[in-house]
Amino acid sequence: MANVYKVAGRGYQALSAMEEFLHDSPAPNDVLELVRLRVSQINGCSVCVDLHSHRASDSGETNERLWSVAAWRDTPFFTDRERAAPALAEAVTRITDNPKGVPDDVWDTAARHFSLDALAALVMAIASVNAWNRVNVATGLVAGSFR
């Protein structure tokens, strides 16, 4: 397919507006990038794995931590707050694994580490990156396209 973002320009603008909201939200940028990276790994979106790895690195994230995002549960490199975010991201992204929605323990853990406003922004970020991933994967966009 031709570049879907050019063909559906208003759709691109709508997704971009969400990113502007997230940029100005109380959700910490470092956590947002880790969440975006983890969701993109789950969805197999090479564009977003590439993009968010570079953005995180440019913001000072270490290679060791970036290389470990896919195995965040089994590494010592993340704080409890940082672990709460990918746990929530995985539960939202893999919603079919939990027919009743995000498990209470995942919500409770996230709520201990993030304000209500930051938690709401995290949910919106997870939904947003899932949308970007699906468009990119469905239309065959590849890593490096948007750097």
Side-chain angles (χ1 to χ4, degrees):
M1 175 174 191
N3 185 330
V4 67
Y5 297 118
K6 288 182 181 176
V7 175
R10 287 183 56 210
Y12 176 80
Q13 290 171 349
L15 288 173
S16 294
M18 173 65 84
E19 297 306 318
E20 289 176 30
F21 159 76
L22 294 169
H23 178 73
D24 296 330
S25 80
N29 189 59
D30 60 330
V31 172
L32 287 174
E33 289 304 326
L34 291 174
V35 161
R36 289 172 174 137
L37 177 55
R38 182 63 190 125
V39 169
S40 300
Q41 290 171 336
I42 292 167
N43 290 329
C45 181
S46 69
V47 171
C48 289
V49 167
D50 179 65
L51 176 70
H52 296 296
S53 294
H54 280 86
R55 281 187 182 171
S57 179
D58 291 347
S59 295
E61 190 59 76
T62 67
N63 286 337
E64 182 175 57
R65 285 169 42 99
L66 288 174
W67 298 329
S68 301
V69 169
W72 62 269
R73 285 181 180 85
D74 302 319
T75 66
F77 309 128
F78 302 99
T79 66
D80 289 343
R81 179 186 82 139
E82 291 166 332
R83 290 174 189 282
L88 179 63
E90 289 180 3
V92 172
T93 300
R94 295 178 170 149
I95 201 79
T96 58
D97 293 347
N98 301 295
K100 294 182 181 180
V102 175
D104 289 342
D105 64 316
V106 173
W107 280 120
D108 294 344
T109 300
R112 281 195 299 274
H113 295 284
F114 299 100
S115 69
L116 186 59
D117 288 345
L119 188 56
L122 277 173
V123 171
M124 298 304 287
I126 296 162
S128 178
V129 74
N130 269 288
W132 289 107
N133 290 170
R134 280 153 174 75
V135 172
N136 294 339
V137 171
T139 60
L141 294 174
V142 295
S145 301
F146 296 96
R147 249 192 302 128

